[in-house]
Amino acid sequence: LSFLLNRDVSSIKKVHAKAPMPHVTKAILESNNIDIQKAKLGLQISEMSVKAKEASFLPTIGGFAEYGSADNTLFNDFTGKDSYTVGVQAKWNIFNGGQDDAKLEKAKLKRLQVRDQVALARKGIALKAKKLKTEILSADDDIKSYSKQLKYAKRVYANYRTRYEEGMASISDVLIQQSKELESLLKLLTVVNKRNTKVFELESIVNAGGKV
């Protein structure tokens, strides 16, 4: 390490920095993940589009009111010769050359496509989150294993150092055991770092503004 870093390294400090596992549920993924939210919004828009196209087959109903007077004098009292007209008008386009049918079918097809996109988004995000959780749990097992190896390497190194002080082991033996201890420590730190990377990836899925 001293050679690689171009500076004296007498020891390596072990840092216990395991990032906590995010709380991940299907409901949290549904409400938080931006990819799922985008897909659901697209579905809402496609639903509104279908309703808008269906409206073309419904009658349009309107109303009107009219007030008038038969008095020939300007600004006179109209009450004696006034009149009121109230009416309701209905318009129904029964035949439009099949254009409305085509537009409605196109909107329905788009809605089906978007529904598939929503289902795929939900399934894809859930599978990715599940895969990351599995990798994190696997890394936890590796961390336990490497921690045990490190404890053993520490004891062996301490034993050889005591034996060296008592003249029962050479400095070479001590350095070999120290290098084994450092190797175990580096393996442990590496797997902790990989685990934390997976945790951050999972958090980004949960809180992406992209839990099972």
Side-chain angles (χ1 to χ4, degrees), residues 64-69 78-79 81-87:
F64 67 90
E66 183 180 281
Y67 172 77
S69 175
F78 295 157
T79 56
K81 301 178 181 180
D82 60 351
S83 63
Y84 300 88
T85 302
V86 178

Side-chain angles (χ1 to χ4, degrees), residues 68-79:
S69 175
D71 197 313
N72 296 324
T73 304
L74 185 62
F75 302 122
N76 195 16
D77 184 5
F78 295 157
T79 56

Side-chain angles (χ1 to χ4, degrees), residues 179-194:
S179 66
K180 289 182 178 181
E181 178 192 352
L182 292 175
E183 181 182 359
S184 297
L185 176 56
L186 289 176
K187 286 181 179 179
L188 175 60
L189 294 178
T190 299
V191 73
V192 168
N193 183 59
K194 289 182 178 179

Side-chain angles (χ1 to χ4, degrees), residues 8 141 161:
D8 292 336
D141 292 336
R161 189 170 58 185

Side-chain angles (χ1 to χ4, degrees), residues 79-130:
T79 56
K81 301 178 181 180
D82 60 351
S83 63
Y84 300 88
T85 302
V86 178
V88 176
Q89 178 178 331
K91 182 180 179 182
W92 197 347
N93 188 8
I94 298 177
F95 178 74
N96 194 24
Q99 295 182 16
D100 291 337
D101 284 331
K103 290 179 180 178
L104 178 58
E105 291 305 315
K106 185 177 180 180
K108 288 182 177 180
L109 179 59
K110 181 65 176 179
R111 180 177 61 183
L112 289 175
Q113 291 175 342
V114 176
R115 281 179 179 173
D116 289 340
Q117 291 175 359
V118 173
L120 288 174
R122 286 171 171 162
K123 185 177 180 179
I125 296 299
L127 287 175
K128 188 173 182 180
K130 187 174 182 179

Side-chain angles (χ1 to χ4, degrees), residues 7-145:
R7 57 185 297 183
D8 292 336
V9 178
S10 58
S11 64
I12 298 177
K13 182 180 180 181
K14 181 181 177 182
V15 179
H16 298 275
K18 281 179 58 179
M21 171 79 84
H23 178 57
V24 182
T25 65
K26 186 176 181 180
I28 294 175
L29 278 177
E30 286 279 336
S31 61
N32 287 19
N33 184 264
I34 190 171
D35 292 329
I36 294 178
Q37 292 302 311
K38 285 181 178 179
K40 290 172 69 175
L41 178 59
L43 181 58
Q44 292 176 5
I45 294 173
S46 67
E47 293 282 2
M48 290 187 291
S49 178
V50 170
K51 291 180 180 179
K53 298 300 183 294
E54 288 175 341
S56 300
F57 296 88
L58 301 176
T60 301
I61 300 176
F64 67 90
E66 183 180 281
Y67 172 77
S69 175
D71 197 313
N72 296 324
T73 304
L74 185 62
F75 302 122
N76 195 16
D77 184 5
F78 295 157
T79 56
K81 301 178 181 180
D82 60 351
S83 63
Y84 300 88
T85 302
V86 178
V88 176
Q89 178 178 331
K91 182 180 179 182
W92 197 347
N93 188 8
I94 298 177
F95 178 74
N96 194 24
Q99 295 182 16
D100 291 337
D101 284 331
K103 290 179 180 178
L104 178 58
E105 291 305 315
K106 185 177 180 180
K108 288 182 177 180
L109 179 59
K110 181 65 176 179
R111 180 177 61 183
L112 289 175
Q113 291 175 342
V114 176
R115 281 179 179 173
D116 289 340
Q117 291 175 359
V118 173
L120 288 174
R122 286 171 171 162
K123 185 177 180 179
I125 296 299
L127 287 175
K128 188 173 182 180
K130 187 174 182 179
K131 179 175 179 292
L132 287 170
K133 287 177 65 177
T134 301
E135 291 175 345
I136 293 169
L137 294 175
S138 176
D140 285 336
D141 292 336
D142 290 339
I143 289 172
K144 292 179 181 178
S145 176

Side-chain angles (χ1 to χ4, degrees), residues 145-206:
S145 176
Y146 284 126
S147 295
K148 291 179 180 179
Q149 292 180 27
L150 178 61
K151 289 180 180 178
Y152 175 76
K154 281 179 174 290
R155 289 198 298 267
V156 173
Y157 168 61
N159 178 266
Y160 268 82
R161 189 170 58 185
T162 300
R163 292 174 61 186
Y164 170 74
E165 293 172 351
E166 295 173 351
M168 299 175 61
S170 66
I171 187 63
S172 297
D173 294 333
V174 175
L175 292 176
I176 289 173
Q177 298 306 319
Q178 184 185 41
S179 66
K180 289 182 178 181
E181 178 192 352
L182 292 175
E183 181 182 359
S184 297
L185 176 56
L186 289 176
K187 286 181 179 179
L188 175 60
L189 294 178
T190 299
V191 73
V192 168
N193 183 59
K194 289 182 178 179
R195 177 195 178 278
N196 288 345
T197 299
K198 298 298 180 181
V199 169
F200 298 148
E201 287 183 31
L202 183 56
E203 288 178 344
S204 69
I205 292 177
V206 172

